[in-house]
């Protein structure tokens, strides 16, 4: 049988626990990547060519690091960060440990999305603010962030969805969560029921996030 | 007073250097409405943007309120900009902020005490006639209304100069007139110097005191608007003037001319007098109007008539002298006598 409902019911506590672990991983890594990625994205934007805090050196260095991290496949990043994870968390197994590499992967991803959404702002609006005598901080707070808000929310949506996918990968090496469950039961034990259940759960999570993200991004846009 | 001294702006692009402004010097008086006219690419925006240093001039200086802005940077430049308002063709309002918040933004730039902000926002909106739109987002406004918000924002910190970059070019003719009226009112009531750039002569005719014509980054003609309309010297200026005061005649009419074709220009109050009818009564000539108009440039009439004079050559000569004696400027276009 492809899907054994009774087996699924009996496994529910495990599924539920895995679901909780996935949420924990995503929760921690999302918070960290928003906290660091947002300012990083803003810095990348305002120091770029033709903008009001143009800084070739800073922009070059940060851009290089961001590209570097983004070019490393997640699974390699995960393993390469074991030493750092060990120092920070004291362990390399479990959802909290997995959050370290997830954050490192998501920070540059989100930062670029922030930068890109700021690039969509009409340069004229920024210039008009400079002409009015606004301080750089005012321009960031009252022009860049509000004008890019809708795009940034879409960026958050994309980051969460990437995190869901990465967190499933983190499961492979004992990160816990839905991915871990899929590997342990679905793959190693040929448990189709668990395999299908985990895939369906992941699909549902992604759909809900995408829907909610789109709706929110649209709702706050005043254009 | 606003002084632009030997401003040159060279853009460095991948394809090499592009000269935006080529050694322009201008003195604009306090309270004056000054027009900069030219086709697209003439360097108007570049020059205007050099005034508030949105574009740093490659050389030259800009002196506003006795201060050389090109010597300033950072915080000092930012403070100087508080006293130079600017409005744009595409308004450039913050789309995610309400009308009130957009104006508040400008006030905050000048560190206006929070308790004064609300009253000042209302005062500014009243001035531009948009009081009821305070809580509306820009997307819900018409072009003219957006420009009014732009004007309110530009005036928030009581600037001494207002720069207008094609401020009416995105608006329909009726809205253009209402915005120009508002600018004129602001100019009169607040004694703000206005520098505006446009490619529409109607705009200049409506509100400017003096003007320059730009081409290839250079000023090619400068003067009082009335004088330039009455007597444009450069071919480009004549082309611009002809968009308002046009004397294109069908070739068939020109072929049929048998007398002396003259262009008669009356400046100021003379235009209203019956000089031409007196001339026709007093001399034995026939006057045949081919074209004619009286333009009001800032309420001062400028009469221009194209006519064919027929009669004895002597009589025609005397008739012309007579008109000149009464203050007309007569130019012979074609003489078939
Ligand atoms: N940022 C820029 N970089 C390179 N060239 C520019 C830039 N801005 C303007 N130019 C060039 O300078 C010239 C004058 O442009 P501009 O001042 O915009 O003219 P106008 O406002 O009269 O249409 C044009 O040749 C234009 O291509
Ligand atoms: Mg222009």
């Amino acid at each position: 049988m492809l899907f054994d409902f009774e087996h699924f019911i009996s496994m529910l506590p495990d599924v539920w626990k895995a679901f909780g672990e996935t949420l924990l991983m995503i929760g921690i890594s999302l918070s960290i990547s928003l906290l660091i990625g947002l300012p990083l994205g803003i810095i990348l934007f305002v120091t770029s060519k033709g903008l009001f805090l143009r800084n070739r050196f800073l922009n070059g260095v940060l851009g290089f690091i961001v590209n570097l991290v983004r070019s490393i496949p997640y699974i390699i990043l995960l393993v390469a960060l074991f030493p750092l994870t060990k120092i920070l968390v004291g362990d390399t197994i479990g959802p909290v440990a997995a959050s370290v590499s997830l954050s490192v992967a998501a920070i540059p991803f989100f930062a670029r999305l922030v930068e890109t959404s700021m690039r969509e702002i009409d340069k004229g609006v920024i210039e008009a603010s400079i002409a009015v005598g606004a301080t750089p901080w005012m321009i960031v707070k009252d022009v860049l962030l509000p004008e890019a808000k809708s795009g940034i929310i879409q960026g958050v949506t994309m980051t969460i969805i990437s995190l869901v996918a990465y967190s499933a990968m983190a499961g492979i090496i004992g990160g816990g969560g839905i991915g871990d469950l899929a590997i342990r039961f679905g793959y190693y034990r040929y448990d189709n029921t668990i395999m299908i259940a985990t895939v369906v759960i992941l699909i549902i999570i992604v759909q809900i996030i995408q829907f909610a993200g789109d709706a929110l991004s649209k709702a706050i846009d005043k254009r | 007073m606003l002084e632009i001294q030997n401003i040159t702006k060279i853009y460095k692009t991948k394809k090499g250097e592009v000269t935006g402004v080529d050694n322009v010097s201008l003195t604009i008086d306090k309270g004056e409405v000054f027009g900069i006219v030219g086709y697209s690419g003439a360097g108007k925006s570049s020059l205007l943007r050099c005034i508030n240093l949105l574009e740093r001039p490659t050389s030259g200086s800009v002196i506003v309120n006795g201060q050389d802005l090109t010597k300033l940077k950072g915080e000092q430049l930012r403070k100087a900009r508080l006293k130079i308002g600017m409005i744009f063709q595409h308004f450039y309002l913050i789309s995610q902020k309400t009308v009130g918040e957009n104006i508040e933004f400008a006030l905050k730039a000048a560190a206006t005490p929070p308790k004064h902000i609300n009253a000042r926002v209302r005062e500014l909106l009243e001035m531009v006639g948009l009081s009821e739109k305070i809580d509306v987002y820009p997307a819900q406004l018409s072009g003219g209304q957006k420009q009014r918000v732009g004007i309110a924002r530009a005036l928030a910190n009581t600037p001494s100069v207002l720069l207008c970059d094609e401020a009416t070019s995105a608006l329909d003719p009726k809205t253009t007139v209402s915005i120009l009226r508002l600018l004129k009112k602001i100019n009169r009531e607040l004694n703000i110097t206005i520098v505006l750039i446009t490619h529409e002569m109607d705009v200049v005719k409506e509100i400017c005191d003096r003007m320059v014509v730009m081409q290839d980054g250079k000023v090619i003609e400068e003067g009082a608007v009335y004088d330039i309309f009455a007597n444009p010297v450069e071919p480009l200026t004549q082309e611009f003037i002809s968009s308002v005061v046009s004397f294109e005649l069908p070739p068939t009419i020109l072929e049929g001319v048998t007398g002396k074709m003259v262009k008669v220009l009356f400046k100021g109050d003379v235009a209203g007098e019956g000089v031409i009818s007196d001339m026709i009564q007093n001399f034995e000539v026939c006057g045949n109007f081919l074209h004619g108009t009286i333009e009001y440039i800032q309420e001062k009439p400028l009469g221009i008539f194209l006519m064919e004079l027929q009669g004895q050559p002597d009589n025609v000569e005397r008739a012309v002298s007579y008109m000149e004696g009464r203050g007309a400027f007569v130019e012979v276009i074609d003489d078939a006598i």
Side-chain angles (χ1 to χ4, degrees):
Chain A
M1 203 198 303
L2 200 60
F3 191 86
D4 179 347
F5 196 73
E6 268 169 38
H7 173 54
F8 175 69
I9 296 294
S10 74
M11 285 293 290
L12 255 186
D14 290 84
V15 173
W16 190 241
K17 177 166 170 278
F19 184 69
E21 286 171 348
T22 293
L23 286 189
L24 181 65
M25 269 188 273
I26 293 176
I28 296 174
S29 47
L30 180 68
S31 314
I32 294 174
S33 51
L34 297 193
L35 221 61
I36 301 177
L38 183 66
L40 183 59
I42 295 171
I43 294 171
L44 281 171
F45 179 69
V46 298
T47 59
S48 63
K49 190 161 178 282
L51 275 139
F52 54 98
L53 292 178
R54 172 67 177 144
N55 186 323
R56 210 188 202 124
F57 176 76
L58 188 61
N59 190 270
V61 170
L62 293 179
F64 178 77
I65 296 172
V66 162
N67 291 346
L68 183 84
V69 177
R70 291 202 56 198
S71 59
I72 303 173
Y74 175 66
I75 202 79
I76 295 175
L77 197 64
L78 179 66
V79 177
L81 286 174
F82 272 167
L84 179 69
T85 309
K86 187 101 190 161
I87 296 169
L88 288 176
V89 186
D91 198 351
T92 59
I93 304 286
V96 179
S99 303
V100 175
S101 59
L102 285 175
S103 305
V104 171
I107 288 168
F109 180 73
F110 181 61
R112 280 290 186 217
L113 292 175
V114 169
E115 187 196 359
T116 310
S117 48
M118 293 192 163
R119 257 183 224 303
E120 309 262 296
I121 302 171
D122 192 332
K123 277 267 173 65
V125 178
I126 301 172
E127 273 194 341
S129 317
I130 294 172
V132 110
T135 61
W137 171 241
M138 278 181 71
I139 298 176
V140 169
K141 183 170 73 72
D142 289 329
V143 181
L144 301 186
L145 287 176
E147 293 295 278
K149 192 162 57 181
S150 177
I152 292 174
I153 287 175
Q154 279 170 333
V156 174
T157 311
M158 285 170 76
T159 306
I160 300 175
I161 290 172
S162 298
L163 281 172
V164 172
Y166 286 161
S167 74
M169 262 195 261
I172 299 173
I173 49 107
I178 304 277
D180 185 41
L181 196 69
I183 293 283
R184 278 193 288 126
F185 288 83
Y187 186 65
Y188 290 130
R189 296 189 202 166
Y190 306 105
D191 185 337
N192 280 336
T193 301
I194 291 301
M195 198 53 142
I196 291 171
T198 51
V199 170
V200 168
I201 289 173
L202 289 176
I203 291 173
I204 292 172
I205 294 178
V206 169
Q207 295 293 346
I208 290 176
I209 291 165
Q210 186 70 57
F211 178 80
D214 287 349
L216 184 62
S217 148
K218 216 170 182 171
I220 56 142
D221 195 355
K222 308 293 183 193
R223 267 172 299 184
Chain B
M1 199 171 71
L2 171 60
E3 257 183 288
I4 296 169
Q5 296 172 342
N6 306 98
I7 287 288
T8 294
K9 174 69 195 181
I10 294 167
Y11 296 103
K12 294 200 170 47
T13 67
K14 286 190 192 88
K15 289 193 195 122
E17 294 189 340
V18 178
T19 305
V21 182
D22 192 356
N23 194 20
V24 169
S25 298
L26 296 172
T27 302
I28 299 169
D29 293 328
K30 174 93 190 117
E32 187 169 33
V33 182
F34 194 90
I36 302 174
V37 177
Y39 283 124
S40 171
K44 307 181 298 293
S45 296
S46 301
L47 179 61
L48 196 75
R49 292 157 57 81
C50 280
I51 296 178
N52 62 355
L53 259 75
L54 276 183
E55 222 58 87
R56 193 166 273 278
T58 311
S59 62
S61 40
V62 179
I63 295 159
V64 181
N65 306 326
Q67 194 177 30
D68 184 352
L69 299 187
T70 58
K71 299 239 167 6
L72 308 180
K73 45 184 190 183
E75 190 62 9
Q76 282 178 312
L77 178 57
R78 185 181 77 74
K79 293 241 164 78
R81 281 184 180 135
L82 295 171
K83 293 293 167 195
I84 308 173
M86 187 167 192
I87 58 174
F88 307 84
Q89 179 175 6
H90 300 295
F91 327 119
Y92 297 142
L93 303 176
I94 304 170
S95 68
Q96 308 294 329
K97 285 187 182 288
T98 62
V99 166
E101 288 165 348
N102 265 281
I103 298 168
E104 191 179 330
F105 177 74
L107 292 168
K108 281 184 182 159
T112 310
K115 60 173 195 265
H116 296 327
I117 285 184
N118 208 313
R120 180 70 180 143
V121 168
R122 283 172 193 286
E123 188 184 1
L124 286 157
L125 281 175
E126 188 146 335
M127 181 158 60
V128 299
L130 271 186
S131 297
E132 74 283 14
K133 300 286 184 191
I134 187 163
D135 291 322
V136 161
Y137 287 93
Q140 287 143 272
L141 299 178
S142 68
Q145 291 171 328
K146 284 183 198 164
Q147 195 58 286
R148 285 168 189 270
V149 180
I151 292 170
R153 173 176 68 179
L155 298 180
N157 299 313
T158 57
S160 57
V161 182
L162 177 64
L163 309 175
C164 313
D165 191 343
E166 304 265 6
T168 58
S169 300
L171 306 174
D172 61 59
K174 208 171 143 209
T175 314
T176 295
V177 170
S178 77
I179 293 294
L180 292 179
R181 287 218 181 102
L182 176 61
L183 289 175
K184 191 76 207 171
K185 182 184 101 165
I186 288 161
N187 165 254
R188 288 212 181 111
E189 289 176 6
L190 309 175
N191 197 28
I192 287 185
T193 309
I194 295 181
V195 185
L196 70 85
I197 69 186
T198 182
H199 58 268
E200 297 167 312
M201 287 309 285
D202 279 322
V203 170
V204 175
K205 190 186 100 183
E206 200 73 37
I207 67 167
C208 293
D209 303 312
R210 281 198 305 142
M211 65 177 279
V212 291
V213 179
M214 280 186 83
Q215 186 176 29
D216 297 330
K218 294 187 200 59
V219 166
I220 58 164
E221 192 157 352
E222 177 176 359
V225 171
Y226 191 88
D227 296 343
I228 288 187
F229 267 75
N231 193 18
V233 177
E234 297 294 327
L236 178 68
T237 314
Q238 289 167 355
E239 202 176 306
F240 271 110
I241 300 301
S242 72
S243 70
V244 176
V245 190
S246 172
F247 286 103
E248 291 291 318
L249 290 178
T252 46
I253 291 197
L254 289 172
E255 280 162 20
V257 170
T258 55
K260 190 196 268 279
M261 179 130 90
V262 290
K263 185 168 149 189
V264 188
L265 196 86
F266 296 100
K267 291 186 187 179
D269 294 333
V270 189
E273 294 176 15
V275 176
I276 292 177
S277 62
D278 288 354
M279 179 262 298
I280 289 170
Q281 275 177 5
N282 293 340
F283 300 87
E284 283 174 34
V285 293
C286 287
N288 192 8
F289 281 108
L290 299 173
H291 209 315
T293 181
I294 298 181
E295 285 293 326
Y296 288 84
I297 295 159
Q298 300 221 323
E299 286 146 37
K300 194 174 158 197
L302 174 66
I304 306 175
F305 303 97
L306 212 55
M307 57 195 299
E308 183 188 2
L309 299 176
Q310 283 168 324
Q312 291 292 323
D314 280 2
N315 288 343
V316 171
E317 276 319 311
R318 279 189 296 157
V320 167
S321 310
Y322 171 78
M323 286 196 290
E324 285 174 336
R326 298 252 332 240
F329 296 81
V330 184
E331 186 189 332
V332 179
I333 308 249
D334 197 4
D335 197 346
I337 295 181

